[in-house]
Amino acid sequence: MDEKRLTIQQKIFAFFICTIVFAVVYNGSAWYLSILEEVPSFVFDFEKTIPFIPWTVIPYMTSGVFFCLVFFFCRNKEQLKVLTQRMIFVTVVAGIGFLLFPLKFSLLKPETENSIFGYSFQFLKTFDSPFNQAPSLHIAYAFIFWSVFRNLKKGRTILIIWLILLGISTLTTYQHHCIDLLTGSILAHLSFIIFPYKKNDFLYRNDQVANVYFLSAWTMILAALLLNEFSGKFWLLLLWPALMGLCIGFQYQKNNIYFLKDRKGNISWIKKIFYAPYLFIYWIFWKFFRKNKTPVEILPGIYISSRPDAEILKNFGITDISSVYDLSAEMEEIRVLKKQFIYHTVPFLDIGYLDVSTVKKLITDITKRYTQLPENRKILIHCTMGFTRSSVIGILVMKNILSLPLEEAINTMKTINKDMVIHSYLRDFLKKF
């Protein structure tokens, strides 16, 4: 598709299709549920303390306005296509959810004295079904709206605040229960994973990884609340890794490579405590599943590996190391490497985006140190698992020092490190060099 030519007719057509799908699914499921003899409700105990705030009906009703506008903010055909796919997907899946797990809102809504708000609630009573609850399309759509609006240069802050108000209003207008919000959040992020924007473009890789963390977090929050409701408060401990997952997803979106380790390769005790489940999982994978444990020589004096331990370093010849380049963002460097050698921490987020300018500086620095490397001394480049990051940097180091074509450097690395994993988005990244 020609991404540069997105016509107003195409935007109108996408809006028209999504509107028809919404009208059919929403009204059809609402009609069917309205004729059932009994439709249950599901309310968490804490929801009874949520206040009714009449004025929040205003942000609640703007969901329809955003629905009409979002298609016209798309910048290219792929963005419009992905938006349309996501909107249709969440609408249809939500409709199936309404039918398979019928729920209705159960809290008594107070009378509204203010005439403006009163008319708004009368409108909702007429057009907003009390049955189409979980998952909440208001919530799913809000996330999808933001996936387009976040690219705007102006007004982003106001829009995100308004969309957050929109999400909160689903509770404070007594239109939805908490389970609707959580399932709507899960549905939205599922759509982001199934229909990613620019799937093989390395510039968008972090967004794709972040969505996996967000999906896991919303799922754990839902599981924690449900298990707490039926099995006891112990399960609220799941809220800890859930909050951690939301934070990690946010850090991936920002490409904050130092969200764990500082520039000296250390992780503070506060972060060790908060991110303990995350660090423990990485330690398990590193301990039992890492490859390339023994450093392999890609050029005379230059080695790549997974994060080494003390025994590996002893066998490798620790006293011969001149410089260490630590590419891992999620594990603290082994102490002996930080203290005894020229240590450089250049972290990249696992299976995430690699910044071109940072990598160019890194390759230049390694090349310079290589030309000045004393006889019988070594340069060690390592990541956590030994699959990807060290191999990518190794490929570029070989290409730069030996003046190799890119494909020849990749094939040479495949021969040296048989466990190398180069995803399609990384091939796109490598073409920048």
Side-chain angles (χ1 to χ4, degrees):
M1 293 190 299
D2 182 2
E3 290 192 354
K4 295 182 180 180
R5 298 185 60 188
L6 179 58
T7 64
I8 189 69
Q9 290 84 357
Q10 291 168 325
K11 296 178 181 181
I12 292 173
F13 180 73
F15 165 69
F16 182 69
I17 292 296
C18 291
T19 302
I20 291 177
V21 172
F22 170 77
V24 171
V25 171
Y26 189 87
N27 294 317
S29 57
W31 171 82
Y32 172 77
L33 294 174
S34 68
I35 64 174
L36 296 179
E37 291 185 4
E38 185 177 355
V39 178
S41 298
F42 186 89
V43 188
F44 292 110
D45 288 338
F46 66 84
E47 292 187 67
K48 297 171 184 177
T49 63
I50 295 175
F52 176 72
I53 307 176
W55 67 265
T56 56
V57 71
I58 302 302
Y60 181 86
M61 292 184 66
T62 56
S63 179
V65 177
F66 287 130
F67 188 105
C68 297
L69 292 177
V70 67
F71 298 91
F72 301 94
F73 282 87
C74 291
R75 299 174 299 175
N76 55 61
K77 285 185 177 180
E78 183 177 359
Q79 189 176 39
L80 181 63
K81 175 185 175 182
V82 170
L83 170 64
T84 305
Q85 289 173 327
R86 290 171 175 176
M87 294 288 281
I88 293 175
F89 174 79
V90 300
T91 304
V92 172
V93 173
I96 295 172
F98 299 154
L99 298 176
L100 293 181
F101 307 100
L103 292 171
K104 67 178 180 181
F105 190 82
S106 61
L107 298 180
L108 182 63
K109 187 177 299 184
E111 292 294 327
T112 306
E113 296 180 0
N114 185 290
S115 59
I116 297 176
F117 301 148
Y119 287 133
S120 298
F121 280 105
Q122 284 297 321
F123 178 85
L124 290 181
K125 188 175 181 180
T126 303
F127 294 100
D128 204 8
S129 169
F131 299 109
N132 294 347
Q133 293 291 302
S136 166
L137 281 173
H138 260 73
I139 297 298
Y141 287 160
F143 278 112
I144 294 175
F145 297 155
W146 178 242
S147 71
V148 175
F149 294 145
R150 63 180 292 209
N151 297 311
L152 298 178
K153 294 182 178 179
K154 295 182 179 180
R156 293 172 70 252
T157 302
I158 294 174
L159 281 169
I160 187 61
I161 292 173
W162 193 263
L163 287 172
I164 291 172
L165 281 175
L166 191 159
I168 295 172
S169 72
T170 58
L171 295 176
T172 56
T173 55
Y174 283 15
Q175 291 294 127
H176 281 281
H177 289 303
C178 186
I179 194 169
D180 311 339
L181 275 67
L182 293 173
T183 50
S185 301
I186 291 170
L187 179 57
H189 286 91
L190 190 61
S191 77
F192 296 156
I193 293 171
I194 294 175
F195 302 105
Y197 179 59
K198 293 187 179 293
K199 180 179 180 179
N200 293 324
D201 189 334
F202 75 97
L203 293 173
Y204 293 86
R205 178 63 180 179
N206 278 16
D207 286 341
Q208 295 159 17
V209 178
N211 286 325
V212 175
Y213 279 107
F214 288 142
L215 176 63
S216 302
W218 291 120
T219 303
M220 281 190 285
I221 292 173
L222 178 60
L225 296 180
L226 288 174
L227 290 168
N228 169 65
E229 196 77 12
F230 298 109
S231 299
K233 296 187 180 300
F234 167 80
W235 293 103
L236 289 177
L237 284 173
L238 282 175
L239 294 176
W240 174 20
L243 177 59
M244 182 193 69
L246 292 175
C247 291
I248 294 171
F250 178 76
Q251 303 297 347
Y252 263 85
Q253 281 191 333
K254 298 297 182 182
N255 193 36
N256 184 6
I257 57 177
Y258 292 106
F259 84 95
L260 266 178
K261 291 166 64 168
D262 61 24
R263 297 177 186 275
K264 295 181 180 179
N266 301 314
I267 302 177
S268 69
W269 280 105
I270 293 177
K271 290 182 179 180
K272 284 180 180 178
I273 293 171
F274 178 72
Y275 288 104
Y278 179 72
L279 295 172
F280 178 70
I281 290 172
Y282 262 101
W283 181 85
I284 290 292
F285 275 94
W286 172 80
K287 184 70 175 178
F288 298 104
F289 301 106
R290 74 185 189 273
K291 299 295 183 180
N292 200 14
K293 295 181 182 180
T294 301
V296 294
E297 194 171 28
I298 62 172
L299 287 172
I302 300 184
Y303 295 77
I304 65 169
S305 73
S306 58
R307 176 181 178 270
D309 55 29
E311 183 178 354
I312 292 294
L313 287 175
K314 182 180 178 181
N315 295 331
F316 177 62
I318 190 169
T319 57
D320 297 331
I321 299 176
S322 174
S323 297
V324 176
Y325 291 87
D326 177 11
L327 311 180
S328 168
E330 59 283 333
M331 288 193 74
E332 194 170 45
E333 181 61 286
I334 186 169
R335 186 177 302 174
V336 67
L337 288 181
K338 289 185 294 186
K339 291 190 173 182
Q340 294 189 15
F341 309 103
I342 301 176
Y343 172 72
H344 310 268
T345 176
V346 190
F348 299 104
L349 298 177
D350 192 18
I351 60 173
Y353 163 74
L354 279 70
D355 180 69
V356 173
S357 61
T358 301
V359 170
K360 284 182 177 179
K361 290 178 182 177
L362 174 60
I363 301 305
T364 301
D365 186 64
I366 293 174
T367 302
K368 180 180 178 181
R369 291 190 181 276
Y370 182 67
T371 59
Q372 301 170 355
L373 189 67
E375 188 177 356
N376 298 323
R377 301 302 296 273
K378 304 171 182 176
I379 294 175
L380 176 63
I381 306 167
H382 80 80
C383 54
T384 299
M385 300 295 292
F387 291 116
T388 300
R389 287 167 286 186
S390 57
S391 295
V392 169
I393 299 304
I395 288 169
L396 295 176
V397 167
M398 286 194 299
K399 180 181 182 299
N400 192 48
I401 293 175
L402 301 179
S403 300
L404 297 176
L406 177 60
E407 284 302 318
E408 184 176 345
I410 293 174
N411 292 331
T412 302
M413 181 59 72
K414 282 182 181 178
T415 304
I416 296 171
N417 181 13
K418 293 181 170 38
D419 297 305
M420 177 183 73
V421 177
I422 301 296
H423 302 283
S424 55
Y425 78 93
L426 285 173
R427 284 191 171 271
D428 185 29
F429 166 77
L430 287 169
K431 291 175 183 177
K432 300 294 180 181
F433 294 85

